[in-house]
Amino acid sequence: MKTADDRHLTPDEVVERVFPPDDRPEAVPVHLAACASCQGKVARLREAWLLDRGAVDGVVDALPGGFWDGQRAAILRTIEGVPVPERPETSGIRPFPAARTKGFFRRPLLALSSLAAALALVAVVSVHRFGGPETAGKGSSAMATPAATVPPSGDQADDELLLSIDRILREEPAYTSLLPDGTT
Amino acid sequence: MKAANGAGQDPQRERREFERSEIARILAGETDRFEYFVRTYQKRVFRLAYTLLRDPAEADGLAQDVFVKAYRGLVDFKGAAAFETWVTRIAINAVRDLVRRRKPMVSFGDLRGDGAEDGPELPARLDPADGTSPERDLMAREIRRRIADALVELSPRQRAVFVMKHYEERSIAEIGAATGLDEGTIKSHLFRAARKLRARLEDLR
């Protein structure tokens, strides 16, 4: 019966001899030290790999100095048109509005939905203040009252607007989440 | 070749300090200082790109992109790793993106020029045709072709890990720093890469 030391290396073991998946070199199996056939397999694979590596090195080393100069010049030319990167002193603390605005406009979905929400809020406020189609249909009492036809003073209008917003924020479930904690 | 243990530590630290100060100067407006980084690392970046892509023109374009990206991202370079590690990471990500975009996958063999059946031209001292045994030369060429074909079958990340380990002789820790992968994942990639390689070489005796 053959022991582990007697048997030939499996193909996996041959590959792993040449391409060990670790930094530490593995101990040479006793069998490999004595078997010319297994040594040949390992040697052939190692030789082929070294040839491939050497070919890569050969190509890179054979490139003339002009190639590297040209590449460097092309890189530096491209960089000339690029603005100087932001200084690290300012990168730690970014001005709040600039960063928010940038991030905001980079997310079109968020921008659009925020705009839609704002428009909806304005529409609801307008409807509550001046009466929507429903109130108009009931006899347009709100529009017909003398108080509504007489333009209020500036202060009165502001008060009404603020009260309307407060009321809507409290009453409309869609906007209650916008209120700070403890105000409901 | 790796630097001797201990002896290379101080020069490395010095270089790192120097490079950090150079980056600060670039960020302060002395942009022409970036030439130092290009000059120092362009060969290394090109070599890595070429080993992974096996196409000089693609590797050249990619190397240029890598340095432009590095320049644009200098402000994000915290100095926790060496510039070389950082730029290597940019290069690996760029190769990965390129390989993913490049579909269908082109084999290394297809990338070779007409009449160059055996890949890039070898330096004379390495050319198997100089060998004494034609059979041995043929076998070496065949194995080499299969290694190249096996590499192309690897995922971009596996390929990067494999090339860094076996072609650039980087340690697992260095590969980890450059790829952001942990040791277990790197070993797993290496193991799988070796399995694919073995499958390619199975019928060779």
Side-chain angles (χ1 to χ4, degrees):
Chain A
M1 186 177 152
K2 279 192 170 185
T3 65
D5 288 344
D6 293 333
R7 66 166 176 77
H8 289 299
L9 267 60
T10 65
D12 282 345
E13 285 169 336
V14 171
V15 170
E16 276 171 24
R17 290 300 312 163
V18 182
F19 301 108
D22 210 319
D23 288 339
R24 292 181 298 276
E26 288 178 16
V28 179
V30 176
H31 172 81
L32 184 61
C35 176
S37 166
C38 287
Q39 284 172 9
K41 285 179 188 171
V42 171
R44 273 199 299 276
L45 179 56
R46 182 169 285 136
E47 180 188 34
W49 161 58
L50 288 174
L51 283 169
D52 191 50
R53 207 174 75 166
V56 170
D57 288 344
V59 167
V60 176
D61 292 341
L63 287 168
F67 171 81
W68 303 111
D69 293 342
Q71 187 186 68
R72 196 161 54 246
I75 293 166
L76 297 175
R77 241 191 339 268
T78 310
I79 282 169
E80 266 180 15
V82 177
V84 182
E86 196 182 346
R87 290 182 61 119
E89 288 81 13
T90 56
S91 68
I93 305 165
R94 291 175 190 276
F96 171 74
R100 293 289 294 180
T101 311
K102 255 185 164 178
F104 188 83
F105 285 110
R106 277 184 192 150
R107 286 172 280 182
L109 191 64
L110 179 64
L112 284 174
S113 59
S114 302
L115 180 64
L119 287 174
L121 183 60
V122 168
V124 171
V125 168
S126 304
V127 166
H128 274 259
R129 276 193 70 201
F130 304 115
E134 286 175 17
T135 47
K138 282 175 187 172
S140 63
S141 58
M143 297 299 284
T145 53
T149 52
V150 177
S153 69
D155 287 348
Q156 242 181 325
D158 287 347
D159 287 348
E160 275 183 25
L161 180 64
L162 289 171
L163 285 170
S164 299
I165 292 172
D166 278 350
R167 194 174 63 248
I168 290 156
L169 286 173
R170 286 202 171 80
E171 291 170 3
E172 295 288 332
Y175 302 116
T176 48
S177 62
L178 296 173
L179 287 171
D181 291 341
T183 57
T184 50
Chain B
M1 278 291 155
K2 287 173 188 170
N5 287 341
Q9 270 189 354
D10 281 341
Q12 274 181 8
R13 192 173 299 160
E14 275 173 27
R15 170 181 278 209
R16 224 156 130 167
E17 287 298 320
F18 171 73
E19 290 181 347
R20 215 174 287 165
S21 70
E22 286 294 288
I23 289 171
R25 293 177 77 168
I26 293 167
L27 294 174
E30 294 180 55
T31 53
D32 55 341
R33 293 259 162 197
F34 193 69
E35 184 178 359
Y36 158 81
F37 292 97
V38 181
R39 190 183 288 276
T40 307
Y41 297 109
Q42 68 180 137
K43 209 166 184 175
R44 217 164 290 184
V45 169
F46 177 86
R47 185 191 302 269
L48 177 63
Y50 178 72
T51 313
L52 290 164
L53 298 167
R54 305 291 173 118
D55 179 7
E58 254 185 339
D60 181 29
L62 188 126
Q64 292 186 29
D65 287 348
V66 164
F67 281 103
V68 174
K69 278 181 187 166
Y71 177 78
R72 286 182 201 271
L74 269 185
V75 79
D76 298 323
F77 178 68
K78 304 294 181 209
F83 180 85
E84 184 194 353
T85 306
W86 186 65
V87 84
T88 301
R89 182 182 279 212
I90 296 174
I92 288 171
N93 288 338
V95 170
R96 186 195 59 202
D97 292 345
L98 182 71
V99 170
R100 281 182 183 163
R101 276 202 309 271
R102 192 173 63 186
K103 288 183 176 177
M105 187 79 83
V106 182
S107 83
F108 288 160
D110 295 338
L111 292 170
R112 293 165 191 156
D114 290 339
E117 294 174 358
D118 196 31
E121 196 177 331
L122 287 171
R125 62 193 163 81
L126 288 170
D127 193 341
D130 285 354
T132 49
S133 159
E135 281 180 16
R136 185 176 143 274
D137 293 344
L138 195 66
M139 177 69 85
R141 282 171 190 270
E142 180 60 17
I143 295 174
R144 196 181 142 220
R145 190 182 64 77
R146 302 231 186 160
I147 290 173
D149 286 345
L151 277 177
V152 111
E153 286 181 355
L154 303 179
S155 71
R157 182 160 279 174
Q158 275 178 2
R159 202 190 307 181
V161 167
F162 187 85
V163 163
M164 288 177 79
K165 177 79 173 73
H166 298 299
Y167 284 73
E168 299 201 315
E169 293 190 321
R170 308 249 186 153
S171 68
I172 301 278
E174 286 171 324
I175 297 170
T179 59
L181 300 173
D182 60 45
E183 186 181 330
T185 309
I186 292 168
K187 286 183 180 178
S188 171
H189 279 315
L190 290 171
F191 182 79
R192 286 181 198 171
R195 283 290 169 279
K196 286 183 185 171
L197 198 60
R198 206 272 280 173
R200 276 276 175 183
L201 302 170
E202 200 160 30
D203 59 324
L204 289 174
R205 286 283 175 266

